[in-house]
Amino acid sequence: MYTRRNYPLPIFLRWTRRYIIFFIIIAVIPVLPYHLLGWKWLHLPWLPIGLVGTALAFIIGFKNNASYGRLWEARKIWGGIVNTSRSFTAMINDFITNQFADTPKSPKDLQAIRVAMVLRHVAWMTSLRHALRVKKPWEVTTYNKIDQKYMERMEIREYTYSLEEELEGYLSDEEKRYVLSLKNKQSACLNLQSKHLADLRQKGLIEDFRHMEMQGMLTELFTLQGQAERIKNFPYPRQFATLNLYFVWLFILLLPFALMSEFDQIGQSLLETGDQNPVFRFIALNFVWLSVPFSVVISWIFLSMERIGDVSENPFEGNPNDVPITTMSRGIEIDIRQMVGDDPEAIPGPIPEEWDSQM
C-alpha cells in the first residue's frame, strides 16, 4: 500500500498518460475543420454539455463513495482480524494448562501445543491472503494495461510464492496435505483448530468454559473471513460501473464541440476591440486553439476521478491503493508468536517497505 503523504504529480500523470494522449487527439480533431475549413456549424451549445457534466459529477461521486466504502470495510475487517488474533493468542497462552488435566503435560509439551496452534493460525491468515489475491475478471489488474504495468514493478508475495511454499513450517505434513486438498483452504485451517480444541477438551487441558470461549474466537474468525470473501467475490454492481464509464467517455467526446465555439467567440470579441497589434490579432484569430488544453484538463479530471473509483472498489488486488494484507499478516504473526514465547530466531521480520520512483 502506498503510504507517503501525496502521490507526486509526475507519477499521477504517468498513471493516466495514455488517456491524456487520447484527450489531445479528441480535442484537436473537431478544431481542425471548424477553424481551418470554416465549418462554423460544427459545434454544440455549452448549456446541455454543462448539464451533462454536472450530472456526471454526481454519478462519479456516488461511485467513488461506494468504492471507498468497500475499501474502508475491508480495512475494518483486517483490523478485526488483528484484534481477534491477539485475543485468541492470549487465550491459547493462559487457558491451555494442566489445571483440569487427568494426565498433566510437561511445560515443554504445553508450550509446543501453544506454538502449534499459533502457527496454525498464521497458516489460516496465509491461506486467506492467497484466496483474496486470486484474480477476478472484473478487477482492474485483470484488464487494464496501465495497472498491470504498475503491478509488474511490485513484489506481491502471493503472486511470487505458491500457497504450498508459504505454508511450509506452519503445519505438519498431514495437516498441510489436508488443507491443500480442499477448495476453501482457509476454512480447512480453522476446522483443524476446532478439532484440536476438541482434543484438548477431551484431555482436560481446557475445561468447558474455556473451550466455549475459544470456539467463540474461531466463530469470530469465520465471520471475518466470510466478510472479506464477500467483498472479494461480489463486485461493485456492473450496471453502475458500465454506465459510469459510458457517460464519462460520452462527455469527453462531446466536450470539445462545446468548448471550441466558446473560445472562438472570445477571440471574436477580442478582434472587435480594434487593437491592430499583429501579435494580439494573431492570438485573437487563433484563440479557438486554447479550447484544446482546456478540454484536455477537464477530460483528465473527470476520467481521473472515474479511475480512482475503479482502483478502490476491489481492495484485495495488491495494487498501491489496496489494504496491505501481506504486511498486516506479517505484523500479526510477529505479535502472536512473541506472545507465546516462540523462538525469536524462527520469527520472521517485518515486510520491508518498498518505494519505486518510476511507479
Side-chain angles (χ1 to χ4, degrees):
M1 180 180 185
Y2 186 89
T3 55
R4 300 195 173 215
R5 182 174 176 82
N6 294 305
Y7 275 104
L9 183 59
I11 287 181
F12 203 80
L13 290 175
R14 278 197 293 272
W15 185 56
T16 55
R17 64 186 181 275
R18 293 186 181 180
Y19 298 104
I20 293 174
I21 295 172
F22 280 119
F23 299 155
I24 294 173
I25 295 171
I26 291 170
V28 168
I29 287 176
V31 176
L32 290 173
Y34 180 89
H35 183 60
L36 299 182
L37 300 180
W39 292 7
K40 300 300 181 181
W41 52 267
L42 189 66
H43 72 276
L44 295 172
W46 171 250
L47 182 58
I49 305 302
L51 289 175
V52 171
T54 302
L56 185 59
F58 282 104
I59 294 172
I60 293 176
F62 172 80
K63 176 183 177 180
N64 285 3
N65 186 56
S67 297
Y68 178 79
R70 289 168 61 88
L71 176 65
W72 183 238
E73 184 183 359
R75 177 59 185 87
K76 289 193 292 184
I77 291 168
W78 274 85
I81 290 175
V82 172
N83 296 335
T84 306
S85 298
R86 291 168 178 163
S87 299
F88 185 56
T89 304
M91 291 181 179
I92 290 172
N93 233 0
D94 299 332
F95 284 9
I96 301 176
T97 66
N98 286 319
Q99 184 176 355
F100 305 98
D102 297 328
T103 305
K105 298 280 187 180
S106 67
K108 184 177 180 181
D109 289 339
L110 289 176
Q111 176 66 4
I113 293 172
R114 294 173 186 138
V115 170
M117 294 196 72
V118 165
L119 292 179
R120 195 179 295 118
H121 182 77
V122 177
W124 169 74
M125 289 191 297
T126 303
S127 300
L128 181 58
R129 283 194 288 112
H130 277 262
L132 296 177
R133 294 294 197 213
V134 173
K135 297 287 189 182
K136 299 292 183 179
W138 57 79
E139 294 178 340
V140 293
T141 53
T142 303
Y143 63 84
N144 191 289
K145 292 184 179 180
I146 295 177
D147 291 298
Q148 289 172 356
K149 293 258 181 215
Y150 273 65
M151 291 291 288
E152 288 173 1
R153 298 193 182 100
M154 302 170 61
E155 183 179 343
I156 308 298
R157 289 189 62 86
E158 293 79 17
Y159 301 145
T160 305
Y161 305 99
S162 68
L163 177 59
E164 183 176 2
E165 291 174 311
E166 290 223 79
L167 288 178
E168 189 65 37
Y170 294 105
L171 299 173
S172 66
D173 291 341
E174 182 181 354
E175 289 178 336
K176 187 176 174 182
R177 284 194 297 271
Y178 168 74
V179 168
L180 294 175
S181 68
L182 299 182
K183 181 178 180 180
N184 195 313
K185 297 166 178 56
Q186 54 273 24
S187 292
C189 291
L190 291 181
N191 189 42
L192 287 173
Q193 290 283 52
S194 181
K195 290 181 181 297
H196 196 175
L197 287 177
D199 182 61
L200 293 176
R201 170 66 189 90
Q202 187 175 9
K203 294 177 179 177
L205 295 174
I206 55 175
E207 44 77 48
D208 285 339
F209 176 77
R210 297 179 181 184
H211 181 237
M212 291 172 59
E213 286 293 306
M214 297 181 79
Q215 281 288 356
M217 287 289 103
L218 292 185
T219 301
E220 178 64 17
L221 291 173
F222 268 119
T223 299
L224 293 167
Q225 172 187 317
Q227 291 172 346
E229 290 170 343
R230 181 194 45 178
I231 294 176
K232 176 66 179 182
N233 297 323
F234 186 83
Y236 178 76
R238 294 296 87 195
Q239 67 271 27
F240 292 116
T242 302
L243 288 177
N244 262 37
L245 186 63
Y246 290 166
F247 291 165
V248 167
W249 279 105
L250 179 63
F251 175 74
I252 289 170
L253 290 171
L254 295 178
L255 181 63
F257 291 91
L259 281 182
M260 65 183 183
S261 176
E262 296 293 321
F263 277 85
D264 189 37
Q265 291 177 27
I266 295 174
Q268 294 301 321
S269 65
L270 291 176
L271 287 174
E272 291 172 2
T273 62
D275 193 326
Q276 298 302 313
N277 185 296
V279 176
F280 180 83
R281 287 185 60 80
F282 176 80
I283 294 174
L285 287 169
N286 294 278
F287 205 82
V288 66
W289 287 104
L290 283 178
S291 67
V292 172
F294 277 87
S295 179
V296 170
V297 169
I298 295 172
S299 300
W300 177 75
I301 290 172
F302 273 85
L303 192 89
S304 294
M305 290 192 296
E306 166 71 11
R307 290 275 290 132
I308 288 170
D310 276 345
V311 299
S312 301
E313 66 186 47
N314 302 299
F316 297 126
E317 289 186 70
N319 71 48
N321 306 294
D322 287 347
V323 178
I325 59 177
T326 306
T327 302
M328 293 180 71
S329 296
R330 178 61 61 83
I332 298 170
E333 177 181 356
I334 294 170
D335 281 353
I336 62 179
R337 292 181 70 173
Q338 289 177 344
M339 286 175 67
V340 293
D342 197 6
D343 181 9
E345 297 296 323
I347 301 176
I351 300 291
E353 179 181 353
E354 295 182 16
W355 166 246
D356 185 355
S357 61
Q358 299 300 316
M359 189 176 65

